[in-house]
Amino acid sequence: MTDKYKIMALDLDDTLLDDDKKISPMTLNALLDIQKAGMKIVLASGRPTYGLEKYAKELQLSTYGGYLASYSGGKVTSCLDNTILVRNTIDLNLIPRIYDIVKSFDLPLLSYKRNSIITEDDTNEAVLQESMINNGMKIEGVRDFVSAVDRPPFKCVVMGSPVEIAQVRHALECEFPNQLSFHNPAPFLLDIVPFNVDKANALDFLLKDLDLDKSQLVAVGDSYNDVGMIQMAGLGVAMANATEAVKQCASYVTKSNNEDGIVHLINKHILGEEGGQTFTPEALNALMHNTLMSSIGIQCTLLQRGRVEATMPVDIRTRQPMGILHGGASLALAETVAGIGSILLLDENEIQVGMQVSGNHISSAHEGEVVKAIATIIHQGRSSHVWNVDVVTQSQKLISSVRVVNSILKKR
């Protein structure tokens, strides 16, 4: 593992977690491996500490000495011994004024205790969603929010439409200059935190505490509240699913949260494997889980620069009603292997997009057979790749001959 980076800060939602709010097995294994090699992990999120603990346990942060930067950086906790290293809270005297402004827009407002959500809007759908996201955090419905918040909170949260959130943020910023800071972890959420509290400042403190330099930090995120830490890091990384503005602030754009973008990042920049192209067919097949490829039984069997092979069964998923291989399934197989082949040839700042598929169906394959696609590149240009893909049976009978053209684009 490269010695250049010593610590990695990861946003949770839409970064570390897929759309099902889970850490994929490949991502989990990769993060465990780099921790075993000595790298520290920080979960940096707007979530309360309670909402991070499940993932900290999965990642074994208590074993490897990781950290939680919760409440958008308002609280930093060492997982090794549960020591709280940073505690920044909102002055209780500001809560009545915050409440009045938010309620003038008739929007839900909540805050947190250690294990519960405090709100007057306990039946609001957005509040229920907040509970679910934070591992079923208990909702404490109260009649008087201001009285119920009896200890200085780490943050308050407002929920509404993007337009409403923009309006209430403007009103709060005008009312509390140099007293509070505001973050949008999502267009429909507004985090209200103490002044100058953000992920970047929390990480800056942690780096100094660990006697590390910013150049040794990798920071990964997808949203506006991640920009500060992405910009300060030696390697600032945006997910492919990040907003365009966040991508522009990053020094590197990895794959999406549903494509094991963290694994791709680790392979390329932490393990030093060129372009993440050392994937085995087995690893690639694992990435295909819950995609079109896995749903029709495509399995990669060979990965080489300029040549890719994969198999597909002729069964109820891929046959026509009369029991022979569907031509559309053959084209899907061909486009898949050609797309994988182009990915293996890309430079760091390139992406491939399927442009054209044309096929000649020459003979039939029948239910019960397994066909193989053999993709070989016949033109590798700066702006396009052209692949010939032969689909054959196990006895090498040619079923289809397909030409696939992929457009090669530069990342912005």
Side-chain angles (χ1 to χ4, degrees):
M1 190 173 78
T2 178
D3 291 329
K4 186 175 182 180
Y5 304 112
K6 301 294 185 184
I7 187 167
M8 180 183 291
L10 298 168
D11 173 56
L12 249 71
D13 298 291
D14 300 318
T15 299
L16 173 63
L17 307 182
D18 62 22
D19 287 351
D20 294 325
K21 303 299 179 185
K22 295 179 180 178
I23 305 174
S24 79
M26 283 189 67
T27 296
L28 177 61
N29 289 335
L31 290 172
L32 290 174
D33 284 344
I34 64 171
Q35 287 182 100
K36 290 174 186 175
M39 196 166 196
K40 299 297 184 185
I41 299 295
V42 185
L43 299 185
S45 173
R47 291 191 186 202
T49 308
Y50 185 89
L52 302 183
E53 289 172 346
K54 169 186 174 182
Y55 304 107
K57 185 175 181 180
E58 281 188 61
L59 291 166
Q60 301 180 35
L61 297 191
S62 61
T63 299
Y64 297 109
Y67 299 87
L68 304 180
S70 51
Y71 297 107
S72 296
K75 183 180 180 183
V76 178
T77 308
S78 168
C79 296
L80 192 63
D81 55 9
N82 290 321
T83 300
I84 298 174
L85 305 175
V86 173
R87 181 193 292 272
N88 289 309
T89 56
I90 298 172
D91 186 338
L92 269 181
N93 294 323
L94 303 182
I95 298 299
R97 293 159 63 198
I98 293 171
Y99 177 86
D100 288 343
I101 291 173
V102 172
K103 286 305 174 180
S104 72
F105 289 87
D106 196 28
L107 295 176
L109 176 67
L110 61 84
S111 191
Y112 304 91
K113 291 184 179 177
R114 171 66 185 89
N115 299 322
S116 62
I117 296 170
I118 306 169
T119 183
E120 294 177 359
D121 305 285
D122 53 310
T123 61
N124 183 278
E125 186 62 34
V127 175
L128 296 174
Q129 182 71 16
E130 177 72 4
S131 168
M132 184 182 71
I133 288 173
N134 286 294
N135 306 322
M137 201 170 188
K138 178 184 175 183
I139 300 175
E140 186 178 330
V142 298
R143 291 186 177 180
D144 185 347
F145 179 84
V146 174
S147 298
V149 181
D150 54 4
R151 296 180 182 178
F154 286 102
K155 77 169 185 174
C156 297
V157 180
V158 187
M159 300 171 168
S161 70
V163 172
E164 291 170 327
I165 290 298
Q167 291 172 339
V168 73
R169 175 171 182 163
H170 177 72
L172 289 165
E173 286 176 332
C174 291
E175 181 70 18
F176 300 104
N178 302 320
Q179 290 180 293
L180 296 171
S181 288
F182 306 92
H183 306 296
N184 293 110
F188 51 87
L189 293 176
L190 177 65
D191 284 356
I192 305 170
V193 296
F195 186 62
N196 274 342
V197 163
D198 59 26
K199 296 180 184 182
N201 284 328
L203 290 170
D204 186 55
F205 169 88
L206 191 55
L207 289 172
K208 291 174 181 175
D209 191 61
L210 295 172
D211 197 24
L212 294 175
D213 188 81
K214 293 177 183 179
S215 64
Q216 296 172 297
L217 170 67
V218 180
V220 193
D222 72 289
S223 194
Y224 296 112
N225 65 336
D226 300 316
V227 167
M229 71 174 187
I230 288 173
Q231 289 179 321
M232 75 174 283
L235 178 61
V237 181
M239 305 299 290
N241 51 285
T243 60
E244 191 61 34
V246 175
K247 292 180 184 178
Q248 294 297 328
C249 296
S251 52
Y252 181 69
V253 179
T254 188
K255 295 183 180 181
S256 78
N257 64 315
N258 291 319
E259 298 174 300
D260 286 291
I262 302 299
V263 176
H264 181 78
L265 159 66
I266 289 171
N267 284 340
K268 181 166 183 61
H269 288 283
I270 309 302
L271 301 180
E273 297 174 359
E274 181 62 29
Q277 294 172 5
T278 58
F279 272 147
T280 64
E282 292 76 19
L284 183 61
N285 291 332
L287 286 176
M288 291 182 179
H289 183 61
N290 287 333
T291 66
L292 170 67
M293 288 79 83
S294 67
S295 69
I296 60 176
I298 295 176
Q299 289 284 301
C300 183
T301 58
L302 177 70
L303 284 176
Q304 294 178 352
R305 291 178 64 86
R307 184 182 177 95
V308 176
E309 297 180 7
T311 61
M312 182 179 70
V314 183
D315 59 19
I316 192 170
R317 298 169 294 177
T318 58
R319 65 167 172 78
Q320 298 182 38
M322 65 286 296
I324 62 173
L325 178 63
H326 196 292
S330 295
L331 295 180
L333 173 61
E335 188 172 17
T336 297
V337 290
I340 293 169
S342 283
I343 290 171
L344 295 177
L345 299 173
L346 295 179
D347 290 335
E348 175 183 339
N349 65 335
E350 294 177 332
I351 59 173
Q352 71 88 20
V353 178
M355 189 175 179
Q356 183 178 356
V357 181
S358 57
N360 294 311
H361 302 302
I362 297 163
S363 59
S364 300
H366 298 270
E367 187 167 12
E369 294 186 273
V370 174
V371 296
K372 176 192 287 187
I374 305 166
T376 52
I377 193 160
I378 57 177
H379 170 72
Q380 183 180 349
R382 292 183 178 180
S383 60
S384 65
H385 294 168
V386 181
W387 293 82
N388 181 76
V389 183
D390 288 336
V391 180
V392 301
T393 64
Q394 291 164 298
S395 62
Q396 299 303 307
K397 181 177 71 171
L398 183 62
I399 302 300
S400 300
S401 181
V402 185
R403 188 64 53 88
V404 181
V405 181
N406 293 325
S407 182
I408 309 304
L409 307 176
K410 298 293 182 182
K411 292 180 181 177
R412 288 181 289 173

